[in-house]
């Protein structure tokens, strides 16, 4: 059993297959008298591709945590993710038949492209092929230039000394994290982690803190400890 989430929105029908390609950035060079050698480098970004079905009628096997939504709802969500130019969290839960979690994929990604296929054989339903790419955050550096007075007491035109420091910019939210959160209808553990802790990747931390064997089974009114 699989559960697919894109930016906190669960896909109603889990794809039957998913391809994940971990790209290689190693480099092969030829040395004199040594022949070919391999320079090992950090792995490239992972590519993900799958085909998903968006029903326009409510099937008994489809999952809608917040009530039935037509295919247009999910297509609008894809368009929003594409035009926002912002990374988001992609989560795949793999479950045992008893509902306990086997393991999951929890990755920050960007949506590269998607193809919408409409076919008479699919009736009212729409199939979409989605391509994602892993996103690695990166930071910029800020230069602070401070001037110090000259040590000379003469009225010369000597240039003042300069001190250059390099600081890494750190994003701050200024938001105080509450200690608990009461689950509302339509909430997922990932959306709670993103909204209250500022990082959806902390879903597993919340699950462990609250002794949740299945992070997807939360109910309205349930009190979640945040730290």
């Amino acid at each position: 059993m699989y559960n697919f989430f894109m930016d906190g929105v669960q896909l109603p029908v889990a794809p039957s297959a998913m391809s994940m390609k971990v790209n290689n950035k190693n480099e092969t060079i030829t040395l004199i008298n040594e022949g070919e050698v391999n320079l090992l480098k950090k792995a490239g970004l992972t590519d993900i591709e799958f085909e998903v079905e968006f029903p326009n009628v409510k099937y008994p096997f489809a999952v809608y945590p917040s009530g039935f939504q037509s295919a247009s709802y999910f297509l609008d969500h894809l368009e929003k993710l594409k035009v926002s130019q912002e990374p988001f969290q992609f989560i795949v839960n793999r479950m045992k038949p008893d509902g306990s979690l086997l393991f999951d994929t929890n990755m920050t990604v960007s949506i590269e492209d998607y193809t919408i296929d409409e076919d008479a054989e699919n009736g009212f339903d729409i199939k979409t092929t989605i391509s994602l790419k892993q996103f690695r955050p990166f930071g910029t550096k800020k230069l602070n230039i401070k001037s110090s007075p000259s040590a000379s007491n003469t009225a010369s035109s000597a240039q003042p000394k300069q001190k250059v420091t390099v600081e890494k910019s750190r994003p701050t939210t200024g938001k105080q994290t509450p200690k608990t959160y009461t689950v509302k209808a339509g909430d997922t553990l990932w959306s709670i982690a993103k909204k209250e802790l500022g990082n959806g990747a902390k879903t597993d931390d919340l699950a462990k803190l609250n002794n949740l064997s299945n992070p997807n089974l939360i109910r309205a009114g349930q009190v979640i400890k945040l730290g």
Side-chain angles (χ1 to χ4, degrees):
M1 179 179 177
Y2 290 81
N3 296 307
F4 279 65
F5 298 86
M6 295 181 64
D7 196 34
V9 174
Q10 184 171 5
L11 303 185
V13 180
S16 59
M18 177 178 69
S19 171
M20 297 183 66
K21 180 184 177 184
V22 181
N23 291 298
N24 179 30
K25 291 298 181 181
N26 293 343
E27 182 180 356
T28 301
I29 62 175
T30 302
L31 300 178
I32 299 176
N33 299 327
E34 294 291 340
E36 287 189 335
V37 296
N38 200 7
L39 300 180
L40 302 183
K41 298 184 178 182
K42 189 174 181 179
L45 300 175
T46 297
D47 293 318
I48 304 170
E49 185 172 294
F50 56 87
E51 182 183 72
V52 61
E53 180 177 355
F54 295 133
N56 269 313
V57 294
K58 187 176 182 180
Y59 296 125
F61 54 82
V63 179
Y64 300 94
S66 302
F68 173 74
Q69 299 286 353
S70 65
S72 62
Y73 170 83
F74 299 98
L75 293 177
D76 289 344
H77 186 63
L78 287 178
E79 180 67 13
K80 175 183 174 183
L81 294 176
K82 182 61 179 175
V83 301
S84 69
Q85 298 182 339
E86 294 288 340
F88 59 92
Q89 212 65 21
F90 175 65
I91 300 174
V92 181
N93 296 140
R94 296 161 181 83
M95 316 295 294
K96 293 180 180 179
D98 61 4
S100 59
L101 180 67
L102 273 173
F103 68 100
D104 59 16
T105 296
N106 192 336
M107 186 181 298
T108 304
V109 299
S110 61
I111 186 165
E112 295 299 294
D113 54 66
Y114 59 93
T115 304
I116 301 172
D117 296 318
E118 297 189 60
D119 193 320
E121 293 183 356
N122 298 327
F124 297 109
D125 301 336
I126 295 176
K127 290 189 176 181
T128 305
T129 301
I130 301 175
S131 297
L132 308 175
K133 183 177 287 288
Q134 181 185 13
F135 177 84
R136 286 187 185 141
F138 57 92
T140 58
K141 293 184 178 181
K142 180 175 63 176
L143 291 177
N144 290 334
I145 302 178
K146 299 179 181 179
S147 299
S148 60
S150 173
S152 173
N153 294 324
T154 62
S156 64
S157 60
Q159 294 294 325
K161 296 180 180 179
Q162 292 184 334
K163 179 181 179 181
V164 179
T165 60
V166 179
E167 297 178 357
K168 288 187 177 180
S169 58
R170 298 179 180 178
T172 57
T173 62
K175 179 180 177 182
Q176 292 185 350
T177 303
K179 294 183 179 180
T180 61
Y181 176 84
T182 302
V183 178
K184 300 179 179 62
D187 280 341
T188 64
L189 202 60
W190 184 91
S191 66
I192 293 172
K194 182 178 181 181
K195 179 171 64 175
E196 300 299 328
L197 302 180
N199 188 350
K202 293 184 178 181
T203 301
D204 291 340
D205 295 337
L206 285 184
K208 292 177 182 178
L209 180 63
N210 290 274
N211 297 320
L212 300 176
S213 58
N214 185 349
N216 298 314
L217 297 180
I218 58 174
R219 62 186 184 281
Q222 183 177 354
V223 177
I224 300 296
K225 293 186 291 185
L226 301 176

